[in-house]
């Protein structure tokens, strides 16, 4: 039995029809769509390593391998590209900063955190596959999911400012061009506006004499990526790892949303049964990447956009994309070109990018009509965001133990939401309160 059946005549998609995951177009068309997926993922995937200091070829390698692993685990039933997750940027940045204080091997500690996230996500995936996804919805309702995604994005505002300040002119140009591309272009070009903005900013930086091609010239055309092992032994590693755990909640939300999105677009609710396997696959991919020096992975919304515009949901195209990413990773010169992107360009791009991550969280609130007249919802979001933006920190100089803003903000949001609702339920059950539960604040007060 073939892995994919040929859709129609193999060349076109009939009006109103879609190419399902188990189908494909002819191979020239499939390869062309696979290349589109590479372009769509590339703008976001390569930004993560250059912002975190990870080797670009290594990240691309494990992005491609992770995609293929995802397709194998889901048995070709769920189309997805696994690219670098932006949710890891903040904790990786914090881990490398810890290296400057001598608390740990920065990259090694960051990789240990990535491995921890991958293992935990895999375990959660097994649980979801066994008992279903409803318990995730109860633990991570839209107000919490939106808050956690938003606080991770907004926590990076300082990092964006640091890059922006190094070359304000180039950063402003890059930011302006990126916004123009997003506003003026429709369809595929609009979805890769960040990628196009980087290219435009890179050219502008070259005109201003801000590029350094010395390392590009010295890099060979072909070679293996650089590998790095996680560091579980340094004293500061375990406190650094704690900063990574909230990322698990983001990956769960992204994967669940991806599966539901594909099921809706293909009009096949049975695809939702792949949710547990999707979490397992992403968890395994992230674990493997962390063990050898790659960034953590997640399903990519950019590639959902390609599927929506082409109406081709064939997993065959993702095999092409995964193999293409692996081939790109075997060129150190290519990685050196990416690493030559100057701080000004990064400053302009990250000003938009980190803000957009935060807005994704806001969009979760809007799409799910979160009721912010309820005090428990108000305080869940308000306290979490202020702690993250302010960069709150708990630190013990003696032991080296440290908790950053993302961990504290996530824990605060979870405790406020679930603790507030528990208190409201206990108060309502212990008194003759005629008001419905949704009208009772966390301490029994009115929601307004």
């Amino acid at each position: 039995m073939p892995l994919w059946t040929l859709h129609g005549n193999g060349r076109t998609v009939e009006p109103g029809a879609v190419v399902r995951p188990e189908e494909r177009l002819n191979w020239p068309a499939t390869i062309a769509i696979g290349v589109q997926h590479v372009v769509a993922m590339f703008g976001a995937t390569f930004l993560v390593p250059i912002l975190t200091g990870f080797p670009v070829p290594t990240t691309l390698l494990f992005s491609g391998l992770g995609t293929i692993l995802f397709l194998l685990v889901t048995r070709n039933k769920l189309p997805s590209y696994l690219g670098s997750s932006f949710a890891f940027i903040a904790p990786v940045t914090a881990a490398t900063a810890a290296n400057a204080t001598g608390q740990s091997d920065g990259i090694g500690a960051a990789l240990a955190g990535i491995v921890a996230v991958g293992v935990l996500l895999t375990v959660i995936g097994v649980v979801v596959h066994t008992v279903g996804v409803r318990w995730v919805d109860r633990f991570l309702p839209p107000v919490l999911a939106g808050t956690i995604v938003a606080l991770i994005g907004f926590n990076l505002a300082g990092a964006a400012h640091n890059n922006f300040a190094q070359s304000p002119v180039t950063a402003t140009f890059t930011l302006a061009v990126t916004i123009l591309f997003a506003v003026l272009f429709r369809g595929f070009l609009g979805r890769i506006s960040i990628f196009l903005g980087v290219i435009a900013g890179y050219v502008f930086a070259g005109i201003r004499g801000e590029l350094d091609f010395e390392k590009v010239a010295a890099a060979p055309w072909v070679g293996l990526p650089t590998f790095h092992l996680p560091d579980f032994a340094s004293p500061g590693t375990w406190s650094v790892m704690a900063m990574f755990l909230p990322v698990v909640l983001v990956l769960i939300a992204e994967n669940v949303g991806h599966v539901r999105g594909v099921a809706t677009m293909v009009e096949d609710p049975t695809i939702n049964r792949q949710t547990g396997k999707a979490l397992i696959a992403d968890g395994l991919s992230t674990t493997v990447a962390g063990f050898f020096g790659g960034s953590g992975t997640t399903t990519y919304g950019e590639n959902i956009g390609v599927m929506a515009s082409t109406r081709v949901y064939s997993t065959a195209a993702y095999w092409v994309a995964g193999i293409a990413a692996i081939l790109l990773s075997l060129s150190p010169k290519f990685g050196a070109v990416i690493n030559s992107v100057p701080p000004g360009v990064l400053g302009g791009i990250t000003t938009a990018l980190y803000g957009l991550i935060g807005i994704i969280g806001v969009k979760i609130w809007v799409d799910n009509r979160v009721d912010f007249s309820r005090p428990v919802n108000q305080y869940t979001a308000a306290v979490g965001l202020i702690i993250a933006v302010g960069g709150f920190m708990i630190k013990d100089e003696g032991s080296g133990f440290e908790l950053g803003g993302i961990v504290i903000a996530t824990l605060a949001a979870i405790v406020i939401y679930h603790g507030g609702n528990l208190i409201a339920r206990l108060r309502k059950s212990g008194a003759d309160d005629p008001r419905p539960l949704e009208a009772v604040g966390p301490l029994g007060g009115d929601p307004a």
Side-chain angles (χ1 to χ4, degrees):
M1 181 178 177
L3 289 176
W4 302 278
T5 58
L6 197 64
H7 175 86
N9 60 16
R11 297 188 301 274
T12 58
V13 184
E14 301 82 2
V18 298
V19 179
R20 293 177 53 80
E22 68 274 11
E23 299 178 323
R24 67 169 176 85
L25 297 177
N26 59 36
W27 282 113
T30 297
I31 291 173
I33 293 171
V35 171
Q36 284 190 67
H37 282 298
V38 172
V39 175
M41 70 82 182
F42 188 75
T45 292
F46 87 84
L47 274 177
V48 175
I50 65 175
L51 292 173
T52 58
F54 280 22
V56 174
T58 310
T59 298
L60 279 175
L61 172 64
F62 288 104
S63 173
L65 290 175
T67 297
I68 291 175
L69 178 61
F70 187 96
L71 296 170
L72 290 173
V73 171
T74 59
R75 297 186 179 182
N76 275 331
K77 294 180 180 179
L78 182 62
S80 179
Y81 188 88
L82 291 190
S84 304
S85 171
F86 291 134
F88 286 95
I89 295 175
V92 169
T93 301
T96 52
N99 183 41
T101 66
Q103 293 179 13
S104 66
D105 168 12
I107 293 181
L111 293 174
I114 291 171
V115 170
V117 170
V119 171
L120 181 56
L121 185 61
T122 303
V123 172
I124 292 173
V126 171
V127 174
V128 170
H129 184 66
T130 304
V131 304
V133 76
R134 290 186 63 185
W135 71 273
V136 175
D137 296 330
R138 293 181 66 86
F139 179 75
L140 196 65
V143 64
L144 259 183
T147 299
I148 293 169
V149 173
L151 67 85
I152 287 178
F154 295 147
N155 177 259
L156 293 164
H161 174 265
N162 291 340
N163 278 321
F164 201 104
Q166 294 189 49
S167 182
V169 174
T170 299
T172 301
F173 175 84
T174 304
L175 176 60
V177 170
T178 301
I179 295 172
L180 283 174
F181 284 155
V183 172
L184 295 177
F185 291 161
R186 292 290 183 269
F188 179 68
L189 290 178
R191 283 190 292 273
I192 62 170
S193 59
I194 288 180
F195 179 52
L196 297 176
V198 170
I199 294 176
Y202 192 87
V203 173
F204 185 77
I207 295 172
R208 288 174 52 83
E210 297 177 355
L211 299 183
D212 181 2
F213 287 106
E214 184 178 339
K215 292 183 179 180
V216 176
W221 282 99
V222 179
L224 290 175
T226 301
F227 298 106
H228 199 297
L229 297 177
D231 171 27
F232 294 100
S234 295
T237 294
W238 294 99
S239 61
V240 168
M241 287 172 62
M243 294 185 289
F244 283 78
L245 298 184
V247 174
V248 173
L249 302 178
V250 180
L251 298 184
I252 291 172
E254 289 176 338
N255 278 274
V256 171
H258 179 87
V259 175
R260 290 175 177 173
V262 172
T264 300
M265 291 185 289
V266 180
E267 297 182 354
D268 183 1
T270 63
I271 290 178
N272 286 317
R273 299 173 187 169
Q274 299 296 319
T275 300
K277 288 185 177 180
L279 294 171
I280 294 171
D282 193 11
L284 292 175
S285 171
T286 296
T287 302
V288 172
F291 263 116
F292 296 101
S295 182
T297 60
T298 189
T299 52
Y300 256 30
E302 289 87 344
N303 296 92
I304 278 198
V306 173
M307 290 190 289
S309 62
T310 61
R311 291 179 291 138
V312 176
Y313 299 86
S314 172
T315 54
Y318 283 100
W319 278 90
V320 173
I323 292 170
I326 293 171
L327 293 176
L328 283 174
S329 74
L330 300 178
S331 175
K333 189 173 290 291
F334 174 77
V337 170
I338 301 304
N339 279 327
S340 68
V341 177
V345 175
L346 296 180
I349 287 298
T350 53
T351 297
L353 179 63
Y354 296 162
L356 288 174
I357 297 172
I359 293 302
I360 290 172
V362 176
K363 186 175 184 297
I364 292 174
W365 296 335
V366 174
D367 290 348
N368 292 276
R369 300 179 181 179
V370 173
D371 182 6
F372 279 110
S373 69
R374 295 189 63 207
V376 68
N377 291 344
Q378 293 172 3
Y379 285 105
T380 295
V383 175
L385 290 179
I386 288 298
I387 291 174
V389 174
F392 287 30
M393 182 176 293
I394 298 174
K395 189 173 183 178
D396 181 7
E397 296 289 352
S399 64
F401 178 79
E402 179 178 310
L403 290 180
I406 289 180
V407 179
I408 301 171
T410 300
L411 292 175
I414 291 173
V415 169
I416 291 170
Y417 179 81
H418 289 293
N421 278 296
L422 177 61
I423 292 172
R425 286 187 174 88
L426 292 175
R427 180 165 184 136
K428 186 172 185 296
S429 62
D432 295 326
D433 192 335
R435 293 173 295 172
L437 177 60
E438 59 270 17
V440 181
L443 298 178
D446 291 323

